[in-house]
Amino acid sequence: MTTATATPAAEPAAHPRPGFGRLLLSEWTKIRTVRSTLWTLILLVVVDLGFTALLVGVTVAQWDNTNPADRASVVADPTGFILGSGFFLGQLTICVLGVLVIASEYSTGMIRASLLAVPKRLPVLWAKALVFGAVVFVLGVVVSFVSFFIGSALIGDKAEVSLSDEGVLRAVIGGGLYLAMLGLFALAIGAIVRHTAGGITGVIGFVLVLTPLATLLPGSIGDHVSAYLPSQAGQLIAKSTQGENDLLTPWQGYGVFALWTGVLLAIAAVLLKRRDA
């Protein structure tokens, strides 16, 4: 009489960890399905194009009464003037959205589910940064081109400008590059602070408050400190020419902004590995 040998039950297969491609898809789904994100991006378009039309239109209407130095500045770089008119307030939407993209996950507890699925943690941060940066870059380039065409049409014969002029195409594309880097800068601060209100306050402080304060420093110290602040340096990429008082070229300025952002993302990565969610 033979005794049948029991076959051990097959062990359940381990749940596979999501690859980086699936992480990218997940982050893209979050961005396109969260209503606040969609409305913030729409607000960027409305504010940027609206203020471009408003400020350029008012400048043209008041051209004869404008200070000669201001007229000379517009004529010297009409592209920078056109793009800067919309960026002044439009960039604030990207500051807010960059913080919200990650800080909101901490406030809702959603980040725990993401980190549970990806124990190594860092791929979550890189996927979020890559998708968000790409979305803002594409939208930013589109908005920059539309702003340029609106502004160049309004400014008319006061300061003629064309995409074929030297540095203009780079500056228009640079508008998208600037917004994308600004978004990553805000995201990094949001990842470090992990608090929506605190993160937004920190980003806006960097963008709008530090530059005026730096100019109060005595002598050339204030000029140098201001020139190397993140947003001040980064905005140079959206200028077609280097101004007389600019200490950095457009690409040097953008490199400084990228360095600031890279350092903050590195700090965010270290803290993500060390701190509990």
Side-chain angles (χ1 to χ4, degrees):
M1 182 175 178
T2 59
T3 303
T5 304
T7 303
E11 296 182 0
H15 295 289
R17 299 298 182 187
F20 194 67
R22 293 187 63 184
L23 286 176
L24 293 175
L25 181 60
S26 174
E27 293 302 328
W28 165 242
T29 301
K30 292 177 186 178
I31 286 180
R32 67 183 177 84
T33 56
V34 176
R35 289 185 179 181
S36 60
T37 301
L38 178 61
W39 282 110
T40 304
L41 293 175
I42 292 174
L43 184 62
L44 165 66
V45 176
V46 173
V47 170
D48 195 297
L49 300 185
F51 271 87
T52 297
L54 176 63
L55 295 181
V56 175
V58 169
T59 300
V60 172
Q62 300 294 325
W63 187 259
D64 293 335
N65 299 323
T66 303
N67 186 291
D70 293 336
R71 289 203 302 265
S73 175
V74 173
V75 173
D77 186 8
T79 304
F81 168 69
I82 292 169
L83 297 179
S85 298
F87 281 164
F88 179 71
L89 289 178
Q91 65 182 343
L92 296 183
T93 61
I94 296 301
C95 293
V96 172
L97 184 57
V99 174
L100 283 175
V101 161
I102 192 163
S104 62
E105 292 200 27
Y106 281 98
S107 61
T108 61
M110 186 185 298
I111 192 69
R112 297 189 186 93
S114 299
L115 299 182
L116 182 63
V118 187
K120 291 185 178 180
R121 295 191 171 198
L122 293 186
V124 173
L125 178 62
W126 306 142
K128 191 179 295 291
L130 183 59
V131 172
F132 179 64
V135 169
V136 176
F137 171 69
V138 172
L139 183 62
V141 169
V142 173
V143 170
S144 291
F145 271 97
V146 177
S147 294
F148 174 79
F149 290 129
I150 291 174
S152 59
L154 289 173
I155 209 166
D157 58 354
K158 305 297 183 184
E160 294 184 2
V161 62
S162 169
L163 282 176
S164 60
D165 294 343
E166 183 178 359
V168 172
L169 182 60
R170 186 263 306 150
V172 176
I173 297 175
L177 289 171
Y178 169 71
L179 290 179
M181 191 63 68
L182 180 64
L184 294 177
F185 181 86
L187 185 147
I189 291 182
I192 293 171
V193 177
R194 296 186 175 188
H195 187 273
T196 302
I200 292 173
T201 301
V203 176
I204 292 179
F206 266 107
V207 174
L208 295 182
V209 178
L210 285 184
T211 299
L213 290 178
T215 59
L216 298 177
L217 295 174
S220 62
I221 297 176
D223 295 334
H224 283 80
V225 171
S226 176
Y228 284 88
L229 289 176
S231 63
Q232 187 74 3
Q235 288 178 0
L236 295 177
I237 196 65
K239 291 184 176 182
S240 60
T241 60
Q242 183 176 0
E244 294 181 1
N245 297 322
D246 293 335
L247 300 180
L248 302 172
T249 66
W251 284 113
Q252 287 174 341
Y254 194 70
V256 169
F257 194 16
L259 182 60
W260 273 92
T261 304
V263 169
L264 290 177
L265 283 173
I267 294 172
V270 171
L271 294 178
L272 181 62
K273 292 286 287 185
R274 292 185 176 182
R275 295 191 298 192
D276 294 333

